Structures are given as structure tokens and as C-alpha cells.
Amino acid sequence: MIAELGLAALWMAAALALLQVFAAGMAMRGGPDGFAALVRPVTVLQAVLVGISFLALLYLFAVTDLSVALVAANSHSAKPLVFKLSGAWGNHEGSMLLWVTVMALAGGLIAQVERRLPERTMWATMATQGFVALGFYAFLLLSSNPFERLAEPVEEGAGLNPLLQDIGLAFHPPTLYIGYVGLSVAFSFALGALLTRNVTPEFARVMRPWVLGAWVFLTAGIVAGSYWAYYELGWGGWWFWDPVENASLMPWLAATALLHSVSVLASRDALRTWTIMLGVVAFSMSMLGTFLVRSGILTSVHAFAVDPQRGTFILALLAIYIGGALVLFALRAHSIAEGKRFALVSREGALVVNNVALSAILAVVLLGTLYPLLTEAFGVRVSVGPPYFNPVSAIFFLPMLVVLAVGPLLRWRRDRVERIQRPVILMAVIGLAALVAVMALGGAELLSLLGIALAAALAVGSFLPLRGRSPRRLPLSVWGMVIAHFGVAVSLFGMAADTAFQQERLVALAPGSQAQVGPWSVELDGVVPVAGPNWTAIEGRIRASYRDGPPRDVAPQQRSFWQPVQETSEVALLTRWNGQLYVAIGQQAEGDRWQLRLWWKPFVTWIWYGGLLIALGGVLALIGRVVTDLRRRDAQARIAERRESEAAL
Amino acid sequence: MSGGLKPKHQRLVLVIVAVVALVGAGLLAAYALRNQASYFYVPSEMVSAPPETGRAVRLGGMVQEGSMQTLPDGITVRFMVGDGEASVPVQFTGILPDLFVEGSGVVAEGSLAAGGTFMADNLLAKHDENYMPRELEDMSEAQANKVVAETTE
């Protein structure tokens, strides 16, 4: 019954999306007033219905209703409740339903709260939003019905991929999806503005919180995904340039560029067409990411739920939306009025360099990710990995970081280089000092050296915009910028330090014997069998001490899940402020020796702390912007009220 | 982009800058891809036309039954990877990936050493019971059958 209810709600939501497109389109064309009045309520109702549909799916997973095909294929009654729920989106159909749910909720929210845009732009935005949603509804209802019943209920479900049975990963896909979908909102706004030729700072102020929100979620999702890959795959790496990772990095790069250009448009009325273009590109990248991940077209260490037929469907959607948007852009871009001028040496100039560098990195990552597909079409098998991505993206990343440090010191419109000479020299000295210090400590690769030097300079430089300003009167959005930029420095330092100074040991230890890795000594006590709710494992009992400190216990496991049959390694981590000891256990070697993989990873956690700081900066900026907007709206309302009362007198 | 430019011209300059940067990135990427992409080999290709020693490549095939041996250090394994026509000895030091077993598909990343042994830095085994390294999917059915026949003798 619940499944049928969910499906019915989904069909009704789809019908409402169609009505939304029609009504908004008619309103734009100056149709009868009734259509205009329909747009907002229909959008809100659609959000409610699709929300009901998603709750229905959650319920089916919570009670493990095995007469539903999706539950039977992806769940198991013996699973902990949180993984039953996360199983609802840990598969193709469920994740698509989550996507469209988030999208409809965002649309409903806009319809409910957004009153600043000119009405025609609002209708155009709602029409676009409905049109995009319609494609995903069609996808769900025609080829990936999450509520399909089995002819015969099964005895027991097939279970969830154990690699996904992890609390970090349970919430990682929704986080990324909210980011992707937030970009679909930015896309709708961009197209709405393009359709009505209404690209103004006011428009940018409406679009900005959505871009900020999407960007925060993307950032958090990437940080979580990176940490998950680090501890769950047991390979000790934090970024693999895997196609699935790139699929989230590409929209992030575009969103980061968009975030900065929309700020220029909002506060300085420049970069109008460029901002619209980035709005289109950012969403294109999230669609492309979905396509790459869901189609199974690329080899990936973690491509789950793959199906070429569905890939074709998404590819068709991609072609319609992105192709359509680009054609519209080509036709309309020239008719958008130019914004204001600015000098090369100015905040705007720095932001343009940042935008161009981000776009170049995006191009490099995109080409590297798609290249194997292109060559495969000609029968050549190629895999592209870190030897390509690291140096080529660094060529653009490093200069961008320099601009990141200098840009916030510059004034809007026009500035003189001499004015920022002293802070720039200060940063250069700090960077050089760090470089010398690291080289004295022992050699590292060129990229790591540059990374550490830049991180040191940037860490100081990110606080320099606060000079001479009272911290209490500083707008929250400036704090957000400072903290996010400082986060970049922290992350960069973590990446460079880990790459340069990590130490690895592979040993086969018998119980009672010891091994050294970096400053740690590690002793194996023994290996014991243990059991969990849906797995058994062998667990290494290990004591590790840092230098001559007190020993701490760690227990890495090699788990065997029985439904589905799969083994995973659960690594053990010992965290200190200056790094992590990473222990993975492998097979039994001959005799009673066990394979252990030991890493000392200096400052590795700073990578994710930095990532969290970046996301935190975004959150602060978002709060700051929303509060400012609300205040402005209040002030305007008060002025209007006063005028009315004066007129009444 | 000096102050003297008209807005229209400034926009043109911005477009040109962006296009030049993107084309530059594209050319750089194309150049790097041609030089640094690691190529995929199956064992018969690696035997008939081996890559130069030390170059990073991938080798994909089936781990032959009964070929796996652990060296005395307890963490280095040697095994044969075959495609039914030829086979290549592979040496790997490290913890074997989950579900790495004889008779299943593997993709080894590494390089060919002077003695003809493939030194693997990384092994990609199947991820779960349904996963097959994509590079191996089109290994012909005949080849696959041959592998099975050889390994079950």
C-alpha cells in the first residue's frame, strides 16, 4: 500500500511539474492572470508530493518490505536501522528520487520565500526548474521506478554493498546531491535571467545564496568522500583522481568560480555574461558527473549501481538541457548589456584571474577524465592517473593560490600595486622562510616544497584583509572569506606535508614482535576472531606508542560480510595533532605471522580540517548574506510603510 | 584592460583572455595525455610487444590457479597473470586487495622490470562478486574458456 502511495505521489508531482512549466510559460507570454497565480502554489505542492514519495521509500526500507524490488535488491533485515535508511539512497533508483526530491524542495522554497526578482524572471526561473525536474521524473517513472513490486516477495534481501555500510558514506551521497541540486537552482536562475535579459546585481544577490549553499554542500561532500576513501579502502590515499571523485570535483571547481563571479556581479555589476555562462557550466558538470557515475561508462574503484541503458537516458537529458542552454546562451549573450569597467589591478581583476585559472583546471580535469572514453572509441585502452593530473593541474593551481593570497588585499575598481607592496613582501618572506626550513629538514619533491611554502604564505596572507578593521564590526561574509581562504592554506599544508614526509612499512609480524614506522613502535599482541551484526572478522590486537610515550591500543580488522559475500578492511587510526598512524591488517603469512601495513602520515588530518574550515567559511558567508538581505528587506518595507502613512496624511 | 577601454572592448579582452587560457590548458592537457597516459596491456600483448622497462603501464588478465606464492618476507607475492595465450609473472609487495583470489581477474599497475617480471605497485581486483575490471570485459569468450580449461586441468 505504501509503495503504491509513493508511486502515486510521484506521478502527481510529475504532473504538477508539467503544469508548472506550462503555467510559468503562459504567465511569461502574458497569458491570463490565472496562470501567474498558479506558479507558486503548484511549485510548493509539487515539493510536498515528492516529499511524501521519498518518505514512503524511507518507510519501505525501514521496515524492509521485501515485496518491493528495490528493497529486496539493496537491503537485508539483519542490517542496522541507519544503514537500512541509507540503503534507500545507496542505489540508483533511490538516489535519483532523492535528487528530484531535493530539487522540488528547493523549488518550493524559492516559490515560498523569493520576492525580490522581477516577476517575469521568476516565472522563467520556475519554468526552467520545472522543465529540468520533468526530465528526472520521466527518468524515474519510465525507466527506474523505485516502487516496483516483485511478482513474488523474496525470503530475504540481497543486502547493501558493505563498502557503503559506513556512517560516513551513509550521509555522503545526500550531501553531494544537495550540492548538485543547488547548482540546478543556480542554472534555473541563470536561464531565467537569460530568457528575460535581466542580468542585474539584484539578480546576482538572489542567486548568490543558492550558489553558496550548493558550494558548501559540495565542499563538505568532497571532504567526507575523501576521508571515506582514505580509511575505508585501506590504501592510505586521500585523493585518487578516480573518475567518480572527479565527477564531484568538476562541479566544485565550476561552483567555486561561479561563487566568486556572482559576488563581483552582486557588488560591482561586472562579469554579467561570464556569470551566466558559469551557471550553465556548473550544472552541466553536475549532470555530467551523474552521467559518468551512473552509466558505468568509466572504470572506477567505486562505481556502484551501473547500467549503460540508464546512462543513455541521462546522456539524452544532458544533451537536451546543456545543449539547449548553450544554444540559448549563444543566441542571447550579446544582447545582455555590459557591466561596469574595472582596471586589471583591482579586486575584480584578481577574481577574473581566479576564474580563468579555475576554468583551466576544470578543462584539464575534464579532458583527463574523458580522454579514456575518447581513445576507447578508437579501440585504444588508456588509463589516466596521478602522473597526468598532479603536475598539469598544479601548473594552474599554484598561480591561482598566489592570486588568492593577493586578491583580497586589492580594492575594487582600481588599485595601485605599490599600495599592497608591504603585505606582499611579508608573505613572500614567510613563504621563503618555510621553504628554507623544509629543505633543511630533508628534501621533498618540488611540488610538496612549493605547496608548503605557499601554504605558509597563504596562512598569514588570508588574515591580512582584517588589518586596520575592527573585528566586531566586520561583516560575517568577510569573516567567511578569511576563514575559507585560511582553510585552503591548512588543507594545502596537510596535502604537501603528507606527500613529502609520510613513511610506510610493510611487515609480516608474529605475535609478540615489533616494528618501527617513523616515530611509532608497533607491537602485535595477537589476532582474534570477532563478529558484528552482519559480518565476522579477524582483528589484530596491536599496541602502538609514539616515541617513548604510553602505548595505545589499536585493532584493525579484515571483515567478511555474508550478504552479499564480500571482504572489507577496517583500518585502525591513531590521531595526534601532528599526524596519524594508519594500520591495516592483511592475510596470514606462513607460520603465525600476519601482514601489517603501517603508515606514519604527518599532518594528514589537516587536509580535512582545512576542508571543513573552507565549508565553514561558506556557511558564515551564507548566514551573513541572508541576514543582510533580510535587514535590507525590512528597511525597504519600513520605508514603504512610512511613505504610505505620509500619503494617507 | 586599462581604464581607457570602453566596456564593450573590455568584455572582448576578457573573452580573449579566457579563450587563450582554456586553449592553453587544452593543449597542455593534450600534450601531457599523449606522454603520460599509462597504457593497458593484456599478457599476450605484453609478451609480443613489451613496453620499455620502467614505463608505467597497466597489465590486466586472470590470476592463474596454483601460481601464487608468497616469498619468505611474508609480504611479497608472485603470481602469473594470463589471458589464455600468454602469461606474465607479476611481483607485488603489499597487502593483497580484498577478494584477490586465484582464477579471478586482476588489473596490475606498475612497470616491466628488466628480467621480464611485472613489478606491480598497485592491484585492482574485483570489487564485489559482480565486478569485473572493465578492461577485461571484452577478453573474448574463447580466451576466457581457454583460461578456465587450463586452470581446471
Side-chain angles (χ1 to χ4, degrees), chain A residues 519-603:
Chain A
W520 292 86
S521 49
V522 176
E523 184 180 343
L524 180 68
D525 274 353
V527 175
V528 293
V530 289
N534 51 351
W535 46 265
T536 55
I538 52 149
E539 183 177 287
R541 296 284 165 85
I542 290 166
R543 265 176 307 169
S545 46
Y546 182 80
R547 301 204 189 281
D548 292 322
R552 291 162 71 182
D553 293 329
V554 285
Q557 293 176 345
Q558 189 75 249
R559 283 188 190 170
S560 307
F561 287 78
W562 60 77
Q563 188 58 31
V565 176
Q566 187 171 350
E567 290 183 23
T568 68
S569 53
E570 298 293 312
V571 303
L573 300 169
L574 277 184
T575 308
R576 288 173 49 87
W577 68 272
N578 63 345
Q580 253 180 354
L581 175 72
Y582 186 110
V583 185
I585 189 165
Q587 270 104 356
Q588 188 165 18
E590 83 279 18
D592 57 351
R593 294 190 299 166
W594 291 83
Q595 296 178 338
L596 288 181
R597 187 162 207 164
L598 311 169
W599 269 287
W600 165 234
K601 298 181 145 292
F603 299 104

Side-chain angles (χ1 to χ4, degrees), chain A residues 201-552:
Chain A
E202 181 66 9
F203 155 79
R205 279 197 285 274
V206 172
M207 183 170 165
R208 178 162 57 187
W210 292 96
V211 178
L212 254 174
W215 180 83
V216 166
F217 277 100
L218 278 178
T219 309
I222 290 172
V223 172
S226 160
Y227 194 61
W228 170 80
Y230 169 78
Y231 73 77
E232 181 66 38
L233 295 180
W235 301 348
W238 35 266
W239 192 261
F240 298 98
W241 293 110
D242 180 90
V244 173
E245 289 175 341
N246 291 350
S248 63
L249 178 67
M250 291 189 286
W252 185 85
L253 289 168
T256 309
L258 176 60
L259 183 65
H260 289 93
S261 85
V262 84
S263 284
V264 174
L265 180 54
S267 46
R268 294 293 134 175
D269 194 14
L271 304 184
R272 289 178 169 194
T273 34
W274 178 255
T275 303
I276 298 295
M277 182 69 193
L278 280 179
V280 172
V281 169
F283 180 57
S284 308
M285 288 302 136
S286 35
M287 288 277 297
L288 182 72
T290 314
F291 166 66
L292 291 178
V293 175
R294 290 290 157 205
S295 65
I297 198 163
L298 289 173
T299 312
S300 164
V301 290
H302 40 244
F304 307 103
V306 293
D307 181 346
Q309 232 176 355
R310 287 165 180 161
T312 317
F313 204 121
I314 301 181
L315 196 60
L317 289 183
L318 195 73
I320 294 170
Y321 293 144
I322 308 316
L326 289 177
V327 168
L328 188 68
F329 182 81
L331 293 176
R332 287 285 171 92
H334 67 93
S335 67
I336 292 172
E338 281 90 11
K340 295 217 171 71
R341 274 179 307 161
F342 53 86
L344 174 62
V345 181
S346 67
R347 182 80 71 83
E348 288 99 323
L351 286 168
V352 166
V353 177
N354 138 306
N355 261 250
V356 170
L358 283 167
S359 308
I361 298 166
L362 175 57
V364 163
V365 176
L366 183 65
L367 285 172
T369 310
L370 296 184
Y371 187 68
L373 283 181
L374 296 177
T375 62
E376 206 176 316
F378 298 100
V380 181
R381 287 266 156 101
V382 165
S383 18
V384 179
Y388 162 77
F389 287 108
N390 283 341
V392 180
S393 59
I395 290 174
F396 297 96
F397 249 119
L398 296 177
M400 190 191 72
L401 292 171
V402 174
V403 178
L404 193 160
V406 175
L409 301 172
L410 290 167
R411 289 187 178 146
W412 293 104
R413 300 300 292 279
R414 177 168 306 159
D415 205 345
R416 287 172 303 115
V417 178
E418 304 87 69
R419 207 183 57 80
I420 59 162
Q421 235 166 26
R422 281 174 57 192
V424 169
I425 290 172
L426 173 69
M427 281 190 274
V429 167
I430 288 165
L432 279 175
L435 193 68
V436 171
V438 177
M439 287 174 81
L441 262 175
E445 272 180 61
L446 180 68
L447 271 184
S448 304
L449 278 178
L450 286 176
I452 290 174
L454 263 173
L458 184 58
V460 176
S462 52
F463 287 101
L464 289 180
L466 298 179
R467 271 175 324 154
R469 300 178 76 166
S470 144
R472 251 185 292 160
R473 289 177 45 198
L474 212 57
L476 213 48
S477 54
V478 175
W479 277 114
M481 176 192 78
V482 167
I483 287 172
H485 286 183
F486 179 65
V488 173
V490 173
S491 260
L492 181 65
F493 176 71
M495 291 174 193
D498 177 55
T499 311
F501 301 117
Q502 72 160 330
Q503 298 190 32
E504 183 187 359
R505 283 288 306 278
L506 267 161
V507 288
L509 281 190
S513 53
Q514 269 201 349
Q516 282 299 129
V517 58
W520 292 86
S521 49
V522 176
E523 184 180 343
L524 180 68
D525 274 353
V527 175
V528 293
V530 289
N534 51 351
W535 46 265
T536 55
I538 52 149
E539 183 177 287
R541 296 284 165 85
I542 290 166
R543 265 176 307 169
S545 46
Y546 182 80
R547 301 204 189 281
D548 292 322
R552 291 162 71 182

Side-chain angles (χ1 to χ4, degrees), chain B residues 65-81:
Chain B
E65 297 275 359
S67 70
M68 207 154 88
Q69 56 177 113
T70 309
L71 301 190
D73 68 353
I75 44 172
T76 303
V77 287
R78 286 178 68 91
F79 51 88
M80 302 297 286
V81 169

Side-chain angles (χ1 to χ4, degrees), chain A residues 122-205:
Chain A
M122 193 65 202
W123 293 327
T125 303
M126 292 282 102
T128 315
Q129 177 85 0
F131 187 65
V132 174
L134 211 51
F136 285 91
Y137 284 124
F139 188 26
L140 275 165
L141 292 168
L142 303 180
S143 93
S144 334
N145 174 11
F147 297 105
E148 198 177 313
R149 294 268 191 194
L150 289 170
E152 293 267 322
V154 290
E155 290 284 308
E156 190 47 276
L160 177 68
N161 185 332
L163 285 171
L164 300 178
Q165 294 196 31
D166 178 271
I167 198 72
L169 208 69
F171 295 99
H172 163 62
T175 311
L176 278 181
Y177 270 25
I178 292 170
Y180 281 3
V181 173
L183 290 178
S184 84
V185 175
F187 173 82
S188 301
F189 274 123
L191 280 198
L194 197 58
L195 281 168
T196 55
R197 295 188 178 86
N198 178 49
V199 186
T200 58
E202 181 66 9
F203 155 79
R205 279 197 285 274

